[in-house]
Amino acid sequence: MEFAELIKTAKVENVQLSCPGLPPIKGTLCITSHHLLLSSQPGGHGEQGTVELWLLIRNVDAVEKRIASSLGTITLKCKDLKVLQLEIPGMEECLNIASSTEALSSVDSVMMMYPFFYRPQSMKLKDGWQLYPLQHYYQQIASETSAWRLSCVNGDFTICSSYPLAVIVPATVDDNVLKKAARFRQGGRFPVLSYYHKKNGTVMLRSSQPLIGPNRKRCQEDELLLSAVLDGGERGFIIDTRSAQAAKQARVMGGGTEPKSSYPRWKRLHRPLERGRPLQESFIKLVEACNDTSLSMDRWLSKLESSKWLAHVKGALSTACLAAQCMEREEACILVHGAEGTDTTLLVTALAQVILDPDCRTLTGFQGLLEREWIEAGHPFHFRCAHSAYSHARLKQEAPIFLLFLDCVWQLGHQFPFSLQFNEHLLLVLFEHTYASCYGTFLCNSEKERCLCEVKEKTHSLWSWLNQPSELKKHLNPLYTYNALVIWPSVEPQSLQLWQGLFLRWIRSSQYLDEAWAEIQRLVTNCEDAPEESAGRTLCHSQPDAAYPLTITGTANEG
Amino acid sequence: ILHHHIAAVEKLALTTSGCPLVIQCKNFRVVHFIVPRERDCHDIYNSLLQLSKPASYDELYAFSYNPKQNESKRLQGWQLIDLAEEYKRMGVPNSNWQLSDANRDYEICDSYPRELYVPRTASKPVIVGSSKFRSKGRFPVLSYYHRDKEAAICRCSQPLSGFSARCLEDENMLHAISIANPAHHYMYVMDTRPKLNAMANRAAGKGYENEDNYANIRFQFVGIENIHVMRSSLQKLLEVSGTKALSVNSFLSGLENSGWLRHIKAVLDAAIFLAKAVAVENATVLVHCSDGWDRTSQVCSLGSLLLDAHYRTIRGFMVLIEKDWISFGHKFSDRCGQLDGDPKEISPVFTQFLEGVWHLTEQFPQAFEYNEAFLLQIHEHVHSCQFGNFLGNCQKEREELKLKEKTYSFWPFLLDEQKKYLNPLYNRDFSQKLVLLEPNTASFNFKFWRNMYHQFDRTMHPRQSVFNLIMTMSEQNKQLEKDFKELEAKMKQRNRQPEELLTKEPLQSVHPASPALKTSPSFKKEQPLLPMNDSIRTIEGSNTADNRYSEYMEELSKAEPAVVSLEYGVARMTC
């Protein structure tokens, strides 16, 4: 396939771009294989020749067109939730632009995506890909205890296609046991170590559901693997992220959950968490409600309620708290799983670590956590983030489970403003980059796929960009001080808030809040050159290398 | 717990461990006791019931409260806020507005203050005539004068128009107000009630202005509900927020059903309409509701707050409350249920005003000199009856109670503690640059005010407070800068003597060092200067005794009841 075949009209003059809250801009619109560009021309507000819009076409979630006589209007609804309007003179041009954008944005082949073409001069390929190797995490554990070992049983991805090459398992269990246990777990995701709690030596494991099936199968090796985790008379908890009912019903399809009789030292707790389509629908409903600024108070509250988003936030946070509580208070080991073990499971294990472990609350620690618990652990980003809240496409496997995680982390940051080293801006950047990015970090569904596509050889890592000193500065929380304690959040509905910085980012002006934030930054760092913008609006999807002034600072639309 | 703060006492069904007693407070604290013996519980219940509802003013705390302050200081305290001074600041009296002596002895309106400002062209017979045509004699008077626009905010009660009655003097009065604004040809008359309510009032011989009878008025209904609707709305809100193990969905649907945020939005929308009419259209606005002491006070005061940066300062806010609420006769005593009286008169009108202000501070974090704690403290003392300011229903009543002789004024006490109430982000320039605050009132901007309605449920609060941290830091910064300057001065003094002897070089060598010194007052992350104790991590309550600084790591997702043993018996208290 050639991109050129998809581009019917490459350039249109006199296109007007408007975005709520910003003055309209007139300019020349160009389509390249991966970008939509608009450079201003005389008569527009901007300076001539300035690139005012630099939009990654992958970021476009939905294209809506309206034609009236010779003027066509295209509404581009982006995956990062912003909405742009282009007024294009000429019906044919308009239709061409719309269909080209649509075609280019829905190219599904990973190898055709922009990260494989993006070559910034200031960065070297390979940098950033080896920042957070699992070996490194293992060494930290090994310095505390010898009860765990690094196993390369999955070295060629044959045991489990969604696990990384190396996993951490009990030292007393050999690879043959693991191979057999893997056959008893959906997708081969046998129990592996997710987190070692240094304070009391308890661990958190994660896996997929056991394949109990209608005949109540058992697997000695799986039982052995799990009991190897517990010392002597210790007992552990299994947190199943499905309801007891759903877990039981899964047996019909060959799944199920650990029965008491075969795992006598493990106590099962069921905490149903939503995932898949209901979660995606919740996201869509919430975004819809946020976009309608004319809603009356009653309608707004009822839409906010019926979206159920905040209920999902509460559910995720309280389940993570439960996991953390089991480890910190009950001093017990835990195993977390749902069905496939790639969605709600990771949500709970990752969140619990942010709550428990101060190291995960640093900028590098958080990146390491994402790398370990989401990317390497095989969260299928490619499927889950194919479309965002605006898409008209038939939903397949989309679900904003990672966004829900980011929202929960934001809630933690909101309740403990000094305890996270990074700020809201980082969470927003992560949200954007999971849906559309010029970096390879969130491409594909698993390490296996990334290997096949040679992602690490042919694309840049998001981390190497983020960790450049100039970028790093934007993502640091000036109020941060190391807090060794566990941060127990309040999960009362009165304490949970809508993440306005994300859901209302393109809808309301945040000028005064940004200024206040800059003032806090100034007060705390007491330096005059405190960065002015925090989570400002920019119409150009992160394009760190471009030589143009890319940001359009949002002027107040509410006065 | 102050007896005056008790809103309701409830005895629940006997349990095995004893008899539960629930006390609900006006500052939204809820306390559960379990009294082992039912008899004791009954006695406590009865005593509290009586103590919380005093029959007469002289039983109120203010008359016995004695902070051991000398007499002259006490009197000075009462003079802290001077309304005549405030009108002077606005620019009245002037060629269009004058002080009227019509109500000097409360002869035409006993719920107004003695000193009222009216248009110069309004003669005494017009004033008297107009007052007879207005409910409770509350005729149109000046509330706020916008010096730059020469436009005014006036307030009054509803006209006694019934279905067709007219009053020439009242029409003249409005005309006089209209022409007192030289730039403008029309004025707005804002009826803050829903149209239906206003029409129903016509049957009782009251009602609203007929646009045909008044020259050049633009009549506008705003639709803020009455005190009874607001009372039950708050009650519903508290029922929802007080529910144990509340789910997100029942919280949100309860919030919706209570209608509370809808009412707050209505009040703010009205204030914005008012402020825009003045600032954008240069128009004078007359505001009224039924009696002109509830919704009118809300809208006039919030409108002025949007227009005038002075009211966004600590002192200015006190003046605003003194003017639009206390002096114009908002019935604090009735609305707060200070005495045993008609429960139907109780209504959270003033609380709504404070909540409106809070929403503004959330949208404009740098525009206000005061912080949330300031609003909470005012709310606390409006109900505490500890100071004389909020006792009684109007100025006349306050004079009769001899409050200025027998009680203390709240304002100096608030001012003494002002350090606690400063907003560290306040930017005076910002506030002036921005003439009119134009808040966004799309519904998603309105949030449940957790720190008001769950002031005492510390488990729900953010565990670390940015505001408190910044406050402490900027205070320490100031101290360090001061120290630095002193040291610098000392160095200069020392250097002076040998100065002649030294060449310029060593002197210059001092300079490169000074920028480094200058940065020292700043707080670097690694400096252990931040007192990371719990007091700055947790939001402060309204008084230190109530403030149970928590070790938050003790708290779990599910709040465990705090166990407190009382001196007598083994009563368990869970808050």
Coordinates of all heavy atoms in Angstrom, one line a residue, chain A residues 11-18 24-30 37-44 70-73 85-90 93-94 97:
Chain A
K11 N -3.4 19.4 -1.0 CA -3.3 20.8 -0.5 C -4.5 21.6 -0.9 O -5.0 21.5 -2.0 CB -2.0 21.4 -1.2 CG -1.6 22.7 -0.7 CD -0.2 23.0 -1.3 CE 0.1 24.5 -1.1 NZ 1.3 24.9 -1.9
V12 N -5.0 22.4 0.1 CA -6.1 23.3 -0.2 C -5.8 24.6 0.4 O -5.4 24.7 1.6 CB -7.5 22.7 0.4 CG1 -8.6 23.5 -0.1 CG2 -7.6 21.3 0.2
E13 N -6.1 25.7 -0.4 CA -5.9 27.0 0.1 C -7.1 27.5 0.8 O -8.2 27.0 0.6 CB -5.5 28.0 -1.0 CG -4.4 27.5 -1.9 CD -3.0 27.9 -1.3 OE1 -3.0 28.7 -0.4 OE2 -2.0 27.4 -1.9
N14 N -7.0 28.6 1.6 CA -8.1 29.3 2.2 C -9.0 28.4 3.1 O -10.2 28.4 3.0 CB -9.0 29.9 1.1 CG -8.3 31.1 0.6 OD1 -7.8 31.9 1.3 ND2 -8.4 31.3 -0.7
V15 N -8.4 27.6 3.9 CA -9.1 26.8 4.8 C -9.2 27.5 6.1 O -8.2 28.0 6.6 CB -8.5 25.4 4.9 CG1 -9.2 24.6 6.0 CG2 -8.5 24.7 3.6
Q16 N -10.4 27.5 6.7 CA -10.5 28.1 8.0 C -10.6 27.0 9.1 O -11.4 26.1 9.1 CB -11.7 29.0 8.1 CG -11.8 29.7 9.5 CD -12.8 30.8 9.5 OE1 -12.6 31.8 8.8 NE2 -13.8 30.7 10.3
L17 N -9.7 27.2 10.1 CA -9.6 26.3 11.2 C -10.2 26.9 12.4 O -9.9 28.0 12.8 CB -8.2 25.9 11.5 CG -7.9 25.2 12.9 CD1 -8.3 23.8 12.9 CD2 -6.4 25.3 13.2
S18 N -11.2 26.2 13.1 CA -11.6 26.8 14.4 C -11.7 25.7 15.4 O -11.9 24.5 15.1 CB -13.0 27.5 14.2 OG -13.8 26.7 13.4
P24 N -10.5 31.8 15.1 CA -10.4 31.1 13.9 C -9.1 31.5 13.1 O -8.7 32.7 13.2 CB -11.7 31.3 13.1 CG -12.3 32.5 13.8 CD -11.8 32.7 15.1
I25 N -8.6 30.6 12.4 CA -7.3 30.8 11.7 C -7.6 30.4 10.2 O -8.1 29.4 9.9 CB -6.2 30.0 12.2 CG1 -5.9 30.4 13.7 CG2 -4.9 30.2 11.4 CD1 -5.1 29.4 14.5
K26 N -7.1 31.3 9.3 CA -7.2 30.9 7.9 C -5.9 30.5 7.4 O -4.9 31.1 7.7 CB -7.7 32.1 7.1 CG -9.1 31.9 6.6 CD -9.5 32.7 5.4 CE -10.7 32.2 4.8 NZ -11.8 33.1 4.7
G27 N -5.8 29.5 6.5 CA -4.5 29.1 6.0 C -4.6 28.0 5.0 O -5.6 27.7 4.4
T28 N -3.4 27.5 4.7 CA -3.3 26.4 3.7 C -3.2 25.1 4.4 O -2.4 24.9 5.3 CB -2.0 26.6 2.9 OG1 -2.0 27.9 2.4 CG2 -2.0 25.6 1.7
L29 N -4.1 24.2 3.9 CA -4.2 22.9 4.5 C -3.4 21.9 3.7 O -3.6 21.8 2.5 CB -5.6 22.4 4.7 CG -5.9 21.1 5.4 CD1 -5.8 21.3 6.9 CD2 -7.3 20.6 5.0
C30 N -2.6 21.1 4.3 CA -1.8 20.0 3.6 C -2.1 18.7 4.3 O -2.1 18.6 5.5 CB -0.4 20.3 3.6 SG 0.1 21.8 2.8
L37 N -1.7 19.4 8.2 CA -1.0 20.6 8.6 C -1.8 21.8 8.1 O -2.4 21.8 7.0 CB 0.4 20.7 7.9 CG 1.3 19.6 8.2 CD1 2.1 19.1 7.0 CD2 2.3 20.1 9.3
L38 N -1.7 22.8 8.9 CA -2.4 24.1 8.4 C -1.4 25.2 8.7 O -1.0 25.4 9.8 CB -3.7 24.3 9.2 CG -4.4 25.5 8.6 CD1 -5.7 25.1 7.9 CD2 -4.8 26.5 9.7
S39 N -0.9 25.9 7.6 CA -0.1 27.0 7.8 C -0.8 28.3 7.5 O -1.6 28.3 6.5 CB 1.2 26.9 7.0 OG 0.9 26.5 5.7
S40 N -0.7 29.3 8.3 CA -1.5 30.5 8.2 C -1.0 31.3 7.0 O 0.1 31.2 6.5 CB -1.4 31.3 9.4 OG -0.1 31.7 9.7
Q41 N -1.9 32.1 6.5 CA -1.6 32.9 5.3 C -2.1 34.3 5.6 O -2.8 34.5 6.5 CB -2.3 32.3 4.1 CG -3.8 32.3 4.2 CD -4.5 31.5 3.2 OE1 -4.0 30.4 2.8 NE2 -5.6 31.9 2.7
P42 N -1.7 35.3 4.8 CA -2.1 36.7 5.0 C -3.7 36.7 5.1 O -4.4 36.0 4.4 CB -1.7 37.4 3.8 CG -0.7 36.6 3.1 CD -0.9 35.2 3.6
G43 N -4.1 37.5 6.0 CA -5.6 37.6 6.2 C -6.0 36.8 7.4 O -7.1 37.0 8.0
G44 N -5.2 35.9 7.8 CA -5.5 35.1 9.0 C -5.0 35.9 10.2 O -4.4 36.9 10.1
S70 N -21.0 25.6 -1.9 CA -19.6 25.3 -2.3 C -18.7 25.2 -1.1 O -17.5 25.0 -1.2 CB -19.1 26.3 -3.3 OG -19.0 27.5 -2.6
L71 N -19.3 25.4 0.1 CA -18.4 25.4 1.3 C -18.6 24.1 2.1 O -19.8 23.8 2.4 CB -18.7 26.6 2.1 CG -17.8 26.8 3.3 CD1 -16.4 27.4 2.9 CD2 -18.4 27.7 4.4
G72 N -17.6 23.4 2.3 CA -17.7 22.2 3.1 C -17.1 22.4 4.5 O -16.1 23.1 4.7
T73 N -17.8 21.8 5.5 CA -17.2 21.8 6.8 C -16.9 20.4 7.3 O -17.7 19.5 7.2 CB -18.2 22.5 7.8 OG1 -18.7 23.7 7.2 CG2 -17.6 22.7 9.1
Q85 N -12.6 22.2 13.7 CA -13.5 22.4 12.6 C -12.7 23.0 11.4 O -12.0 23.9 11.6 CB -14.7 23.3 12.9 CG -16.0 22.6 12.6 CD -17.2 23.3 13.1 OE1 -17.2 24.5 13.1 NE2 -18.1 22.6 13.5
L86 N -12.9 22.4 10.2 CA -12.2 23.0 9.1 C -13.2 23.4 8.1 O -14.1 22.6 7.7 CB -11.3 21.9 8.4 CG -10.1 21.4 9.3 CD1 -9.5 20.2 8.6 CD2 -9.1 22.5 9.4
E87 N -13.2 24.6 7.6 CA -14.1 25.1 6.6 C -13.3 25.1 5.3 O -12.3 25.8 5.2 CB -14.7 26.4 6.9 CG -15.8 26.3 7.9 CD -16.4 27.7 8.3 OE1 -16.1 28.7 7.5 OE2 -17.0 27.8 9.3
I88 N -13.7 24.3 4.3 CA -12.9 24.1 3.1 C -13.7 24.6 1.9 O -14.8 24.1 1.7 CB -12.6 22.6 3.0 CG1 -11.7 22.2 4.2 CG2 -11.8 22.4 1.7 CD1 -11.5 20.7 4.3
P89 N -13.2 25.5 1.2 CA -13.9 26.0 0.0 C -13.8 24.9 -1.1 O -12.8 24.3 -1.3 CB -13.2 27.2 -0.4 CG -11.8 27.2 0.2 CD -11.9 26.2 1.4
G90 N -14.9 24.6 -1.7 CA -14.9 23.6 -2.8 C -15.4 22.3 -2.3 O -14.8 21.7 -1.3
E93 N -12.9 19.2 -2.9 CA -11.8 19.2 -2.0 C -12.2 18.7 -0.6 O -11.5 18.0 0.0 CB -11.2 20.7 -1.9 CG -10.3 21.1 -3.0 CD -11.1 21.6 -4.2 OE1 -12.4 21.6 -4.2 OE2 -10.5 22.1 -5.2
C94 N -13.3 19.2 -0.2 CA -13.8 18.9 1.1 C -14.0 17.4 1.2 O -13.5 16.7 2.2 CB -15.1 19.6 1.4 SG -15.8 19.2 3.0
I97 N -10.6 15.6 1.2 CA -9.9 15.7 2.5 C -10.5 14.8 3.5 O -9.8 14.1 4.2 CB -9.9 17.2 3.0 CG1 -9.2 18.1 2.1 CG2 -9.4 17.3 4.4 CD1 -7.7 18.2 2.2

